[in-house]
Amino acid sequence: MKTIQEVKNAKKKLEEDISSLISQFEKENEVSVSSMGMETIGFCNGTGLNEVCVEVKVTVEL
C-alpha cells in the first residue's frame, strides 16, 4: 500500500502530465481548452475484475 505522500506525489505528476498534454493539444490545433471533466461510464469488459471505465470530455474554443 502506498503512503499518503506517495499518492500526493503521484497526483501532482498526473496533473502536470495532463496539463502538458492539454498545452500540446492547444498549440498543435490553435485552440483553447476551456473545460475538461471525467465521468464514470460503468465497468469495462476485458480489463480485469471491477475495473471502472471513465470518459473524458473536453470543451474546446476556436
Side-chain angles (χ1 to χ4, degrees):
M1 181 170 229
K2 293 192 178 228
T3 66
I4 292 173
Q5 189 59 49
E6 287 173 322
V7 173
K8 285 181 180 180
N9 291 343
K11 176 184 174 281
K12 182 177 180 178
K13 182 176 180 338
L14 174 63
E15 291 168 341
E16 290 170 353
D17 290 348
I18 291 170
S19 179
S20 178
L21 285 170
I22 290 171
S23 294
Q24 180 181 348
F25 174 85
E26 289 176 324
K27 287 176 187 173
E28 289 175 357
N29 295 286
E30 299 177 357
V31 295
S32 289
V33 173
S34 60
S35 69
M36 187 182 89
M38 291 176 32
E39 70 181 61
T40 301
I41 58 172
F43 292 99
C44 299
N45 292 328
T47 59
L49 185 62
N50 295 328
E51 290 292 322
V52 175
C53 284
V54 295
E55 183 175 7
V56 176
K57 299 200 179 212
V58 177
T59 303
V60 176
E61 296 182 16
L62 302 177

